[in-house]
Amino acid sequence: MLAHLTLMNFRNFSECEILFAPGATLFRGRNGQGKTNLLEAVYYLSALRSFRQAAAPQLVRSGAARFDLSAALAGPSEDRLRIRYEQMERERLLEINGNRIGRGVEFAGRLNCVILHSADLRLARGRHSERLRWIDFSIAQIEPGYLQLLARFQRSLKHRNAALKERSTGAELDALDQTYAAACAAVADRRRHYWPELSQRLLAAYDVISRSEEKLGATFESEVDGRVLQKCSARRAQELDAGISLIGAHRDAVHLTLRDLGVGHAGSEGQTRTIALAFKIAQARFIRDHLGRPPVLLIDDVWGELDETRREGLELLMAESPQILLTSTEVSGRGIPATAAAAVVWEVVSGTVKRQS
C-alpha cells in the first residue's frame, strides 16, 4: 500500500506532500484544481506512464525544468520509490530505496494500482487497442518483464514500418522480419496465456453487476502464430503499398458481444458502463489473485455517472480493496459510496492540498 507521496513540479503542483493510511482517502475540490493530477502521479509511480496517455514533458509544471515524484510503500516491501524527469535532457531517472536503476522493468510492479475514470467507456466501445492496453497493463503488473517484450515489439514494429514506407530492399526487410516475428510471437504468447484468466473474471464480474440473463461474450483473436514469417513474406507487396505492417501483435483483437451482436451495436449506455466497470473489477482481481494482495484502487469521480445497480458493483470492488484513493467535486460527499463514507478528506485548491479535520 501507499504510505507517503511527494510531488514536485508535477502538473499544477509546485510541491505537495501527503500521508496515507489504509482505507479510503478522498481528494475533494472544484474542477481544474488538481485532484486528478494526484491520482495520475500515483499511477505514474505504478506504471511509468500516465493513464491520460500524456507524454512525460506534458507532466512538468509550466516553467519548471523537471518533475519529481517519490513514494514510500507500506507492507511487505516498504520500498521507497522515486522518479525524476529532466525536461532539458528528456531523461527519466528511477530510484528504488535510494539506488539508481537503469531499467523500468525493475521499477514496475512495486506499487500495484487499478484506475477507474471516465475514459474507461472506451474499453467497451473503443478500438481493440484500448482492450489490448488493458491486457498488457494487467500482465505487466504481475510480470514486469513483459514490459521488455512489449518495448522490443514496439521498436521492431516502428523500424519495420519505416522500412516499408521507404520501400527498402528485400534483404533488409528479410532481416527485420526475423526480429519482428520473434517479438510478435513473444507478446501474442503472453496475451494468449493469460486471456482465459482475464476473460473468466471479466464475464463473472459482468454477470454479478448486470443481474441479467443476458451474457457478455468476449473473445481474443490473433493472427500471430508459428507462420508469421511466411505470412509477412506472402503479404509483402501489399504491405509495401500500404507502408505499414498488416500482420502482427498490434492487430490482435478483443471482440465483445451482447445478444451475439457487437457491443457497439447492441449495448445501451448502461450496459457500456457495466462492461467498463467489469473490466476494472476483473483487472483488480487478476492482480490480487496472482500477487496475493489487492492493488491500490484509484477512482476519479465516476460514481455520479452510475445508476444504483452499477454503484453496487463499484461498492463490491471497493470492499475488496484495502486502500482506495478517490476524487470528488461534491463538497457534501453526497453520492459517494458507503465504503468511502469514513474517508480521510483532503481539500484540493489550485495545486495545494490540506487535510480536513
Side-chain angles (χ1 to χ4, degrees):
M1 292 189 295
L2 187 63
H4 180 263
L5 175 69
T6 302
L7 286 69
M8 292 185 66
N9 295 322
F10 185 85
R11 292 288 196 181
N12 67 328
F13 288 89
S14 59
E15 191 169 357
C16 169
E17 185 174 6
I18 302 170
L19 298 176
F20 295 94
T25 299
L26 173 64
F27 298 113
R28 188 173 64 191
R30 293 182 291 109
N31 287 327
Q33 304 304 299
K35 304 184 304 297
T36 301
N37 297 342
L38 294 171
L39 300 191
E40 186 176 29
V42 174
Y43 187 89
Y44 200 94
L45 284 159
S46 172
L48 293 175
R49 63 182 178 89
S50 163
F51 67 81
R52 292 156 151 173
Q53 300 181 31
Q58 297 173 274
L59 306 178
V60 181
R61 187 172 66 89
S62 178
R66 66 186 64 82
F67 75 69
D68 200 316
L69 302 175
S70 62
L73 307 185
S77 70
E78 297 187 348
D79 285 329
R80 291 175 289 111
L81 310 178
R82 185 183 181 193
I83 302 173
R84 188 168 80 251
Y85 176 77
E86 298 287 348
Q87 182 83 293
M88 186 70 70
E89 293 84 2
R90 297 292 176 101
E91 183 181 18
R92 185 175 66 191
L93 306 174
L94 306 175
E95 291 182 8
I96 299 176
N97 299 325
N99 300 313
R100 280 277 301 275
I101 61 171
R103 300 189 307 161
V105 67
E106 298 176 47
F107 194 95
R110 303 279 176 152
L111 172 62
N112 302 108
C113 293
V114 167
I115 177 80
L116 284 81
H117 60 123
S118 58
D120 290 338
L121 294 179
R122 294 199 295 255
L123 286 167
R125 288 185 171 173
R127 298 178 178 179
H128 293 296
S129 58
E130 301 287 343
R131 294 180 285 278
L132 292 178
R133 269 194 289 270
W134 174 81
I135 295 175
D136 291 339
F137 178 78
S138 301
I139 297 172
Q141 289 283 289
I142 67 165
E143 243 186 59
Y146 181 66
L147 292 174
Q148 288 183 305
L149 301 182
L150 275 176
R152 191 178 305 140
F153 164 67
Q154 289 159 358
R155 284 194 303 270
S156 64
L157 176 63
K158 180 180 178 180
H159 293 157
R160 188 170 187 271
N161 282 347
L164 288 168
K165 189 173 183 179
E166 294 168 4
R167 302 188 71 84
S168 298
T169 64
E172 183 178 352
L173 284 171
D174 285 344
L176 287 172
D177 283 357
Q178 293 285 341
T179 303
Y180 180 69
C184 282
V187 169
D189 175 70
R190 301 322 289 154
R191 288 173 177 171
R192 281 197 190 93
H193 177 77
Y194 285 112
W195 174 247
E197 291 185 54
L198 287 164
S199 60
Q200 183 273 329
R201 289 168 175 79
L202 171 64
L203 302 184
Y206 182 85
D207 283 347
V208 170
I209 303 168
S210 65
R211 301 179 185 173
S212 171
E213 295 181 359
E214 185 175 77
K215 298 296 183 182
L216 176 68
T219 57
F220 174 76
E221 181 180 76
S222 178
E223 292 181 295
V224 177
D225 56 24
R227 300 181 62 255
V228 174
L229 276 175
Q230 294 93 315
K231 290 178 178 180
C232 287
S233 177
R235 298 189 68 178
R236 179 167 293 177
Q238 190 178 356
E239 289 186 315
L240 285 167
D241 288 340
I244 56 172
S245 299
L246 300 177
I247 295 170
H250 60 299
R251 297 179 67 86
D252 289 352
V254 174
H255 299 280
L256 302 176
T257 58
L258 287 169
R259 300 190 301 276
D260 296 324
L261 296 173
V263 166
H265 300 286
S268 66
E269 188 69 19
Q271 288 167 326
T272 299
R273 294 187 187 281
T274 300
I275 292 169
L277 182 55
F279 267 102
K280 293 311 176 86
I281 292 175
Q283 187 174 65
R285 289 175 173 172
F286 174 79
I287 294 169
R288 176 200 66 192
D289 293 345
H290 275 272
L291 299 182
R293 60 181 186 272
V296 176
L297 189 60
L298 312 177
I299 306 177
D300 189 26
D301 202 9
V302 298
W303 45 81
E305 303 168 355
L306 303 176
D307 61 19
E308 182 179 351
T309 299
R310 277 161 278 277
R311 285 192 186 203
E312 289 178 5
L314 180 55
E315 286 270 21
L316 178 67
L317 176 57
M318 293 174 68
E320 298 174 357
S321 305
Q323 189 173 51
I324 309 160
L325 311 185
L326 314 96
T327 69
S328 177
T329 57
E330 183 56 59
V331 175
S332 69
R334 184 181 62 227
I336 293 175
T339 307
V344 174
V345 179
W346 294 76
E347 285 296 330
V348 184
V349 180
S350 299
T352 63
V353 294
K354 182 179 180 181
R355 180 169 174 169
Q356 300 300 290
S357 56

